[in-house]
Structure formats: C-alpha cells, structure tokens
Amino acid sequence: EAGVAQSPRYKIIEKRQSVAFWCNPISGHATLYWYQQILGQGPKLLIQFQNNGVVDDSQLPKDRFSAERLKGVDSTLKIQPAKLEDSAVYLCASSLHNTQYFGPGTRLTVL
Amino acid sequence: DQQVKQNSPSLSVQEGRISILNCDYTNSMFDYFLWYKKYPAEGPTFLISISSIKDKNEDGRFTVFLNKSAKHLSLHIVPSQPGDSAVYFCAAQRNTGNQFYFGTGTSLTVIP
C-alpha cells in the first residue's frame, strides 16, 4: 500500500513570496490533515478535510494560508505571502479511522 | 494552551534496558491516545495506540499504559535497541473524527 506522498520535500523562498505544497493521501482515506511543525515543537493542526469539505480550520491563518482538497483526494496548501515565522515542516496526514498516517513533510525555509 | 505535554525533551538509555517515555494531558474528554516515532527528515510513523476503555496495550517490545485518573500515559520499550533512537510524540483525540493534539516530543537515544 502506497503511503502519503508530499512534494516538494524542500523549499527555500524569500519573505513575501508565495509557495504551494501538494499532498496525495493514501487511497480510500476520507480524512486529510495539514500540520505545521516548528522546530522543537509537536505538529500543530492547520486544517482538516473530510472528503472535500473542511472539518476544522480554526488554527489556519486565513489571511495568508489557504488549502483545498481537489475532488476529495489530492490537496494543496498555499502560503501567500510568506513570513519568516512560516519556516517549518509542513506535514500532510490521512486517516480512515482513528490512526493518522503521515507523509514525509515539506521543509520550508523563509529567508 | 498545550493540552498534551511531554516534559522530558530527551532521554538516553543503554541498549537492552527499558525506555520509559511519559506524556501528560489536561483534557479529560480525550478518549484515544497514540504514540508516533519520528526519524530525521521523515514524517511521524504510527507506533501504538490505546483507547480510554483500556489501561494497557502491548505490541511486541512496545507497551502503552494509560492512567486516566492521573491523566498520564507512558510508553515502555523493552528491550531498547539502537534503532529505537528517534523522537517520540504522544497524541490525543476526543471522539473519532476530531483533531489530534500532539505533545512536543521526547528524543530517545539508545546507546549501544
């Protein structure tokens, strides 16, 4: 069974630029999550999708972050414009029941 | 507000001995708990879970204990192996389908 795929693995941008991350969840997993993990901290939920609907986006900074889940499968997370404090690993996870399966993450560095 | 806490940032254990990683939570409504293991440059990997209706779950060398009255769970690894060296996160959930709350992680080093 293929795992959660994410791309790119690494991204370096300058502040005020835009960036987008892509996630392909495990086939059949209805729930998809985007997390932000800052160095030394645990993953923090940004947004949770159930199929193509948003379940929880209460911690998503909506003035600069946006996410969509195309046809209830793939998802993209966008930051526009980026700030220095957005430097982090962005993790995508999917789940069928109670257990989440994570992708390898995208490490974003904002200079 | 950190609802799941791992107060030990790091732990070193000799190979073959027991590793005990601890996790505390504040929300008594959490009913499902998980442990994840994370290697550098990889995403967290699911290790073991426990429902609040149980107080112990065992899978090979890994055992998770849940003390609901103390709002505390622990992960025991016996015997510890060098390949167990990683960062371990505990996570908690209230009701299926709701978000997971993660601790800050404990970095385990198993010394050969």
Side-chain angles (χ1 to χ4, degrees):
Chain A
E1 178 184 80
V4 176
Q6 288 188 249
S7 67
R9 291 297 310 276
Y10 305 92
K11 189 73 176 178
I12 300 174
I13 62 173
E14 294 187 348
K15 59 182 179 184
R16 291 188 289 272
Q17 286 188 320
S18 302
V19 65
F21 313 127
W22 173 82
C23 173
N24 186 14
I26 293 173
S27 177
H29 283 196
T31 310
L32 185 147
Y33 312 79
W34 282 103
Y35 288 89
Q36 180 192 59
Q37 185 176 13
I38 293 172
L39 188 64
Q41 299 182 17
K44 183 187 85 170
L45 181 70
L46 292 174
I47 189 167
Q48 176 182 343
F49 291 96
Q50 181 75 16
N51 296 308
N52 60 354
V54 175
V55 173
D56 186 347
D57 64 356
S58 57
Q59 299 185 87
L60 186 74
K62 298 180 186 65
D63 58 334
R64 297 186 299 107
F65 286 65
S66 64
E68 61 179 3
R69 189 173 184 194
L70 307 172
K71 300 179 181 178
V73 181
D74 293 7
S75 178
T76 55
L77 175 70
K78 296 179 182 177
I79 308 175
Q80 180 179 8
K83 293 185 175 181
L84 296 176
E85 58 261 36
D86 298 332
S87 294
V89 175
Y90 290 84
L91 293 162
C92 178
S94 68
S95 69
L96 185 58
H97 299 295
N98 278 22
T99 302
Q100 293 182 61
Y101 297 87
F102 285 85
T106 296
R107 180 176 294 279
L108 174 67
T109 302
V110 182
L111 303 174
Chain B
D1 179 26
Q2 191 74 23
Q3 298 192 48
V4 178
K5 300 176 183 178
Q6 294 176 257
N7 293 318
S8 297
S10 62
L11 174 69
S12 291
V13 172
Q14 288 287 338
E15 181 179 4
R17 306 293 290 268
I18 183 171
S19 294
I20 300 176
L21 296 96
N22 293 305
C23 179
D24 297 292
Y25 60 96
T26 57
N27 191 336
S28 58
M29 299 299 291
F30 287 144
D31 57 8
Y32 191 66
F33 305 88
L34 309 91
W35 284 94
Y36 284 85
K37 175 179 174 180
K38 185 183 184 302
Y39 292 118
E42 295 183 13
T45 303
F46 170 73
L47 196 56
I48 192 168
S49 63
I50 188 167
S51 165
S52 61
I53 62 173
K54 296 184 176 181
D55 55 18
K56 177 184 174 180
N57 188 27
E58 189 172 353
D59 183 2
R61 297 186 297 115
F62 302 91
T63 304
V64 56
F65 295 92
L66 175 63
N67 183 334
K68 290 186 289 294
S69 61
K71 297 190 183 69
H72 176 84
L73 65 155
S74 61
L75 174 68
H76 292 209
I77 306 174
V78 183
S80 300
Q81 299 173 354
D84 297 330
S85 296
V87 177
Y88 289 78
F89 292 97
C90 66
Q93 183 190 40
R94 178 175 66 85
N95 297 332
T96 299
N98 286 344
Q99 71 163 295
F100 291 80
Y101 294 86
F102 283 82
T104 53
T106 296
S107 178
L108 172 66
T109 301
V110 179
I111 303 165

